Amino acid sequence: MDIRVGQKVDLVFYTLQIGFFHMDFDLISKSIDKAKILFEEGGDWETGLSEHIKSDRYLHPHLRYYMREMRSVVYSQFLESYKSVTIEAMAKAFGVTVDFIDLELSGFVAAGKLHCKIDKVAGVLETINRRDAKNGLYQSTIKQGDFLLNRTHKLSLSCY
């Protein structure tokens, strides 16, 4: 990471803290937009964020939880692009060891936070088809429509 980018990330996080302190939502929004741009330029969001959480007396006790939750979201987003991926490729993508990624992913899968199967013998992660939000909304709408039609039909029969 470029030192200048790292310093800019620090400044953006300090600006965010000021925005949160004063409940200045415009400043918070602008700071988040700046942070996104800096991370695309090579800023390390996890190091920057963890350092700021460590320095905050209210958030510090929850650092491990926050970082773990963020990693689960990042892993989920990574896996959305693949039907299957090797554990080695995923470990390489995140700059960690195969053992680390295997242990971490197995915990997330067991907790239901990741929708995939781990084939330890083949060293492959296979994503499990899950209903996306639009499909779920569609199914829900169909069920409610059927219920409404049945109800209307019963009411119309009882009138005769």
Side-chain angles (χ1 to χ4, degrees):
M1 175 170 72
D2 184 5
I3 298 295
R4 291 179 293 152
V5 173
Q7 290 171 341
K8 289 178 185 177
V9 170
D10 288 342
L11 291 174
V12 168
F13 279 119
Y14 290 131
T15 306
L16 271 169
Q17 287 177 331
I18 291 169
F20 281 120
F21 180 79
H22 293 289
M23 295 305 233
D24 184 343
F25 298 110
D26 187 47
L27 179 62
I28 293 168
S29 178
K30 287 178 183 176
S31 297
I32 290 172
D33 291 340
K34 285 181 188 177
K36 288 178 184 177
I37 293 168
L38 288 172
F39 297 140
E40 289 171 2
E41 292 177 5
D44 185 353
W45 65 270
E46 186 175 358
T47 302
L49 186 58
S50 66
E51 290 304 314
H52 286 280
I53 291 175
K54 283 181 189 175
S55 66
D56 186 295
R57 67 179 176 184
Y58 300 110
L59 296 177
H60 179 73
H62 310 287
L63 175 66
R64 289 183 59 199
Y65 173 78
Y66 289 133
M67 299 313 290
R68 184 171 166 78
E69 290 300 308
M70 281 190 288
R71 284 194 309 271
S72 76
V73 170
V74 170
Y75 294 149
S76 179
Q77 290 174 345
F78 178 84
L79 290 171
E80 281 179 8
S81 304
Y82 300 99
K83 183 174 174 103
S84 67
V85 65
T86 64
I87 297 172
E88 184 177 346
M90 192 165 176
K92 202 176 282 185
F94 287 102
V96 295
T97 65
V98 172
D99 290 337
F100 175 84
I101 203 86
D102 181 46
L103 181 64
E104 182 125 296
L105 293 178
S106 63
F108 288 137
V109 169
K113 291 182 182 265
L114 287 180
H115 304 286
C116 65
K117 288 191 257 182
I118 302 173
D119 183 345
K120 183 74 171 169
V121 174
V124 175
L125 295 165
E126 296 178 15
T127 57
I128 298 172
N129 290 338
R130 57 196 176 280
R131 294 171 31 164
D132 60 7
K134 281 187 180 181
N135 191 21
L137 183 60
Y138 174 77
Q139 295 297 328
S140 173
T141 303
I142 295 296
K143 280 185 179 179
Q144 290 175 356
D146 285 344
F147 176 76
L148 182 60
L149 285 173
N150 289 336
R151 196 84 159 133
T152 306
H153 183 70
K154 285 181 183 178
L155 287 174
S156 68
L157 291 177
S158 66
C159 290
Y160 293 109

